[in-house]
Amino acid sequence: MTQAGDQPEYQAGYQAGDRATSHDATLSYDRPVSQPPASAGTHGLTVGVLALQGDVREHVVALEALGATAVRVRRVEELDRCDALVLPGGESTTIARLARTFDLLGPLRERIAGGMPVLGTCAGMILLADRVLDGEPGQQTIGGLDVTVRRNAFGRQVDSFETDVTMSGLAEPVHAVFIRAPWVEEVGPGVEVLARAAGHAVAVRQGPLLATSFHPEVGGDLRVHRVFLDGVAALA
Ligand code: GLN
């Protein structure tokens, strides 16, 4: 089993060989992207990144660039310090299994039920979803977001792709990186679809919960994190 801490954080979902050229170029932050200035409202916010597996570091970098204090969350005491949480991309089955092992599943559910804002990206979207199609047998989620997601919906790893998506609330399209990505197949009445790709919902919001099928943490475009943190600041 994959253990937290015994591997690079930036791992599953980005294995060597899967269209390395386009992904590497995107992941190395070498693409100039015009950045919004750090919002004054995000200073003083402590935002956790669930750090059991997946692309934790990229989220930490994005959050800190926007002026928040980022905390890697592996224990309930770390979760307790956070105003909000990011569930990163990676492998949803592994993250869910480790969350149970680390006794975080219950505390995470309680905080979400209590209104903690959460941004879930790719595997993080799956973890946030109340219902999963094409999951592993018995796959658990943290839940809270009233959607049904289809795991690996766009195909297998080799079918990962990048495309520009128009997202509600953002003036310019987002260059979105999809890696074995889920899509949202059904949404409950309180869920707003913010973006679509190939006709499928790929970004959704339900109150303080925001989820994207793609990886806003790669490529250096901070606008999705900015939208999330502005929402957190407005609630704080
Ligand atoms: N397919 C992965 C899962 O099921 C998600 C991939 C990703 O986060 N890039 O968890």
Side-chain angles (χ1 to χ4, degrees):
M1 183 171 90
T2 310
Q3 294 292 336
D6 66 357
Q7 61 185 11
E9 286 172 341
Y10 192 82
Q11 205 246 11
Y14 312 93
Q15 307 293 355
D18 53 310
R19 295 187 52 199
T21 43
S22 60
H23 288 155
D24 284 356
T26 310
L27 301 182
S28 62
Y29 283 85
D30 59 0
R31 199 154 43 85
V33 175
S34 62
Q35 296 300 343
S39 155
T42 61
H43 290 283
L45 290 180
T46 300
V47 182
V49 181
L50 188 65
L52 302 175
Q53 187 267 338
D55 59 343
V56 174
R57 182 168 48 87
E58 288 67 21
H59 282 290
V60 168
V61 168
L63 293 167
E64 290 182 340
L66 289 168
T69 300
V71 173
R72 288 167 164 82
V73 171
R74 295 190 180 93
R75 296 181 182 79
V76 73
E77 303 78 58
E78 291 154 348
L79 179 64
D80 289 345
R81 290 168 49 204
C82 297
D83 302 307
L85 185 71
V86 174
L87 301 175
E91 178 50 55
S92 57
T93 52
T94 304
I95 297 172
R97 207 163 48 230
L98 289 170
R100 177 185 274 275
T101 305
F102 280 55
D103 289 328
L104 279 170
L105 219 42
L108 285 166
R109 287 175 176 154
E110 279 167 30
R111 285 297 305 274
I112 292 170
M116 176 177 67
V118 182
L119 168 64
T121 65
C122 201
M125 170 192 262
I126 298 170
L127 289 164
L128 207 46
D130 283 341
R131 296 167 296 278
V132 180
L133 301 172
D134 292 341
E136 297 286 311
Q139 177 167 353
Q140 281 195 311
T141 70
I142 299 166
L145 183 62
D146 184 12
V147 299
T148 304
V149 297
R150 187 174 292 280
R151 187 164 164 259
N152 299 337
F154 288 101
R156 295 181 60 79
Q157 183 90 347
V158 288
D159 300 320
S160 297
F161 64 101
E162 301 178 20
T163 189
D164 289 344
V165 300
T166 301
M167 192 160 157
S168 306
L170 296 180
E172 301 295 326
V174 174
H175 186 74
V177 178
F178 293 84
I179 304 170
R180 288 188 304 146
W183 67 48
V184 178
E185 206 148 302
E186 286 174 355
V187 299
V191 179
E192 183 187 359
V193 175
L194 302 178
R196 291 180 186 276
H200 301 284
V202 294
V204 293
R205 178 166 49 203
Q206 175 191 322
L209 307 179
L210 181 63
T212 65
S213 301
F214 53 89
H215 289 268
E217 72 280 13
V218 303
D221 182 344
L222 300 178
R223 289 175 298 158
V224 173
H225 289 80
R226 172 74 179 271
V227 165
F228 176 61
L229 290 184
D230 283 350
V232 178
L235 288 172

